[in-house]
């Protein structure tokens, strides 16, 4: 995808194929006219503060040495330390990690958390590594990026193909190198290491909360509503369960193993059990297999893309027959697809708002680690729901004022906060 000459691109990116970073730049362009006098600082948003590329060598179980490419990008830290996940995936690229870090800057500011945006990743298919190889890779990666992370500098968290165990290894490695236990260096940790109750379900719960707020704005009753979910892990699975418990019908689910459909509603609890046993929704006996492309054409009240980025594109956006799209994944809708959805009257709750529940409870975890005082799960869920509702209300208000989409409104709110911080801090030296 070619870019306009206004973007001074870093030499290490291919201007003809910017990948996810190109999508992010288009989103910044759309918000710039609404930034007023702050627009003089807008180039700040188009340049990550720091990008680290590291070699991650490990000894495999068979005695050979393997090398993996790792990244940690800190997009902006004007409002606080960097915050963002670490993903292990064979298709991870620097462009992707840059975009994910930038979206974290926007997400943290949109929900008004005192963080900047960061992201990390290793270009690896974790399914091809043993548990011990994964541990060695995680520890080596942590040591390599240890120069730029820390409880007050940059706080990693789980993302695609990483989990609480990954965070435990990262925390331990960082602590060993520091010579002191540093629980606040990562979030999404096991409870035994200072993790927070409610963290595992937080992103999916946040998706459900803002979906309910959007439904009220669109005069849709959640009870009896149809829901289709792409991705049935922590985010999609939790959101599906909460919808199911609220009386909605989850009529389809899709992941890398296949697509299942049942017009009368899938048994979500049985499907979650099937996924935990088999690793995916494919082969679930409580529904019929559906062609991958047909999934996007199902008539439904809610469509929850909760897998990877760039799932709703120019190729399928016009076929989407959902009333509300709630983005559980990061960047699942391309800018061109966004326009098509808007033209067709599809109400899109953007990722930077919809999936901010995870980083919100990560913030709660970080606060609890610093204070060494922990809250109950009920308190955490109440605080999460209140914060998500307030963030949605603020973004929806800006959307109505400027007559723009929720995504553009979220960017207006977030970029204004980021650039105000940049402006009052000034440039040093």
């Amino acid at each position: 995808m070619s870019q306009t000459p206004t973007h001074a691109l870093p030499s290490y990116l291919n201007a003809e194929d910017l990948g996810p970073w190109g999508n992010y730049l288009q989103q910044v362009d759309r918000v710039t006219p609404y930034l007023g006098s702050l627009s003089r600082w807008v180039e700040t948003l188009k340049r990550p503060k720091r990008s680290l590329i590291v070699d991650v060598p490990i000894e495999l179980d068979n005695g050979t040495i393997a090398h993996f490419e790792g990244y940690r990008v800190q997009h902006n830290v004007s409002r606080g330390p960097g915050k963002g996940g670490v993903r292990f995936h064979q298709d991870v690229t620097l462009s992707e990690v840059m975009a994910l870090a930038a979206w974290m800057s926007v997400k943290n500011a949109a929900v008004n958390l005192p963080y900047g945006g960061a992201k990390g990743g290793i270009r690896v298919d974790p399914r091809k590594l043993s548990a011990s190889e994964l541990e060695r890779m995680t520890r080596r990666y942590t040591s390599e990026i240890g120069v730029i992370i820390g409880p007050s500098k940059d706080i990693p968290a789980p993302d695609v193909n990483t989990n609480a165990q990954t965070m435990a290894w990262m925390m331990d490695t960082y602590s060993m190198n520091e010579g002191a236990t540093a629980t606040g260096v990562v979030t999404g940790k096991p409870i035994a290491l200072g993790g927070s109750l409610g963290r595992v379900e937080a992103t999916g719960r946040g998706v459900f909360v803002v979906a309910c707020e959007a439904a009220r704005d669109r005069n849709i009753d959640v009870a009896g509503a149809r829901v289709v979910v792409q991705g049935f892990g922590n985010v999609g699975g939790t959101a599906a369960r909460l919808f199911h418990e609220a009386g909605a019908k989850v009529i389809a689910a899709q992941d890398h193993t296949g697509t299942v459909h049942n017009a009368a509603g899938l048994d979500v609890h049985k499907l979650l059990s099937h996924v935990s046993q088999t690793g995916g929704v494919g082969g679930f006996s409580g529904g019929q297999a559906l062609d991958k492309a047909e999934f996007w054409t199902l008539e439904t009240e809610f469509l929850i893309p909760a897998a990877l980025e760039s799932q709703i594109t120019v190729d399928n956006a016009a076929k989407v027959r959902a009333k509300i799209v709630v983005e559980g994944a990061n960047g699942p809708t391309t800018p061109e697809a966004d326009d098509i959805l808007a033209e067709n009257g599809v109400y899109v709750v953007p990722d930077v708002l919809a999936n901010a529940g995870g980083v919100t409870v990560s913030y709660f975890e970080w606060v609890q680690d610093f204070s060494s005082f922990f809250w109950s799960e009920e308190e955490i869920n109440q605080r999460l729901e209140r914060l998500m509702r307030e963030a949605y209300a603020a973004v929806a208000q800006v959307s109505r004022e400027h007559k723009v989409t929720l995504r553009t409104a979220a960017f207006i709110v977030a970029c204004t906060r980021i650039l105000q911080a940049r402006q009052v801090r000034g440039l040093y030296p």
Side-chain angles (χ1 to χ4, degrees):
M1 180 176 61
S2 61
Q3 285 295 315
T4 60
T6 56
H7 295 135
L9 296 171
S11 59
Y12 48 81
L13 289 186
N14 175 7
E16 298 305 311
D17 184 18
L18 285 176
W21 182 249
N23 292 344
Y24 164 75
L25 290 178
Q26 287 188 54
Q27 292 166 344
V28 173
D29 284 344
R30 291 180 181 204
V31 79
T32 303
Y34 301 96
L35 296 176
S37 62
L38 290 172
S39 60
R40 72 185 284 255
W41 293 94
V42 78
E43 288 297 311
T44 304
L45 300 171
K46 300 179 186 179
R47 292 165 169 78
K49 176 180 174 62
R50 184 179 289 117
S51 301
L52 180 63
I53 305 172
V54 296
D55 177 40
V56 185
I58 65 164
E59 184 176 341
L60 299 178
D61 293 342
N62 64 10
T64 61
I65 306 298
H67 291 258
F68 303 98
E69 194 170 311
Y71 311 99
R72 187 70 185 176
V73 175
Q74 294 165 351
H75 173 258
N76 188 281
V77 292
S78 294
R79 299 179 71 253
K83 188 82 191 77
V86 173
R87 62 175 50 183
F88 294 168
H89 197 275
Q90 60 273 19
D91 296 328
V92 164
T93 64
L94 179 58
S95 166
E96 178 188 53
V97 177
M98 285 168 60
L100 291 167
W103 285 323
M104 284 303 301
S105 292
V106 174
K107 185 184 305 182
N108 287 321
V111 190
N112 211 15
L113 301 178
Y115 287 139
K119 206 78 177 187
I122 302 179
R123 197 172 170 83
V124 61
D125 184 347
R127 293 170 296 185
K128 295 182 178 178
L129 297 184
S130 68
S132 58
E133 289 168 340
L134 274 175
E135 179 177 355
R136 291 196 289 276
M137 183 185 70
T138 301
R139 289 184 180 277
R140 180 64 189 227
Y141 169 73
T142 306
S143 290
E144 295 292 347
I145 67 168
V147 291
I148 65 168
I149 64 172
S152 59
K153 293 196 290 187
D154 181 2
I155 306 118
D159 197 75
V160 176
N161 293 328
T162 55
N163 55 26
Q165 178 61 74
T166 316
M167 295 304 107
W169 291 330
M170 291 189 75
M171 189 214 92
D172 182 68
T173 304
Y174 181 86
S175 297
M176 291 300 101
N177 288 336
E178 289 291 301
T181 299
T183 55
V185 68
V186 295
T187 58
K189 302 181 296 296
I191 300 297
L193 292 179
S196 177
L197 297 168
R199 174 62 185 86
V200 172
E201 292 189 344
T203 309
R205 185 174 294 278
V207 166
F208 174 71
V209 169
V210 295
C212 291
E213 296 297 293
R216 196 182 64 230
D217 276 358
R218 309 301 278 187
N219 294 315
I220 293 171
D221 193 348
V222 173
R226 295 162 295 182
V227 184
V228 299
V229 183
Q230 187 200 37
F232 225 73
N234 273 353
V235 182
T238 298
R241 179 178 61 78
L242 292 170
F243 269 111
H244 178 71
E245 290 171 358
K249 287 192 301 184
V250 178
I251 61 168
Q254 180 183 87
D255 64 13
H256 65 283
T257 66
T259 307
V260 292
H261 173 247
N262 186 336
L266 298 161
D267 186 322
V268 172
H269 293 287
K270 284 184 179 176
L271 181 54
L272 286 168
S273 177
H274 174 82
V275 170
S276 70
Q277 290 168 15
T278 67
V281 302
F284 178 61
S285 59
Q288 297 79 43
L290 193 69
D291 180 72
K292 185 178 179 181
E294 278 186 69
F295 171 84
W296 302 102
T297 70
L298 292 170
E299 191 172 330
T300 182
E301 277 68 50
F302 296 96
L303 168 59
I304 317 287
L308 294 172
E309 60 267 4
S310 299
Q311 298 299 300
I312 304 177
T313 65
V314 287
D315 297 326
N316 61 8
K319 299 171 186 172
V320 170
R321 292 195 293 161
K323 290 185 172 68
I324 301 176
V325 172
V326 187
E327 296 183 335
N330 292 308
T333 310
T334 65
E336 297 85 358
D338 228 12
D339 292 339
I340 295 168
L341 293 176
E343 286 165 16
N344 291 344
V346 179
Y347 193 63
V348 179
V349 186
D351 49 0
V352 292
L353 176 61
N355 70 22
V359 72
T360 299
V361 177
S362 274
Y363 167 60
F364 296 165
E365 178 178 335
W366 183 69
V367 168
Q368 290 170 91
D369 285 338
F370 269 108
S371 64
S372 297
F373 181 82
F374 292 85
W375 310 332
S376 70
E377 188 163 2
E378 183 183 10
E379 283 178 288
I380 286 160
N381 288 340
Q382 286 174 350
R383 290 171 192 256
L384 167 64
E385 291 175 18
R386 178 175 57 80
L387 205 148
M388 294 296 290
R389 287 194 183 99
E390 288 173 355
Y392 174 87
V395 170
Q397 176 67 23
V398 170
S399 170
R400 288 189 292 269
E401 281 175 17
H402 293 287
K403 294 182 173 55
V404 294
T405 64
L406 282 184
R407 189 185 313 279
T408 300
F411 269 72
I412 292 171
V413 170
C415 295
T416 298
R417 286 173 176 162
I418 294 166
L419 297 182
Q420 280 175 341
R422 175 71 281 169
Q423 180 168 274
V424 294
R425 286 183 65 158
L427 293 175
Y428 172 86

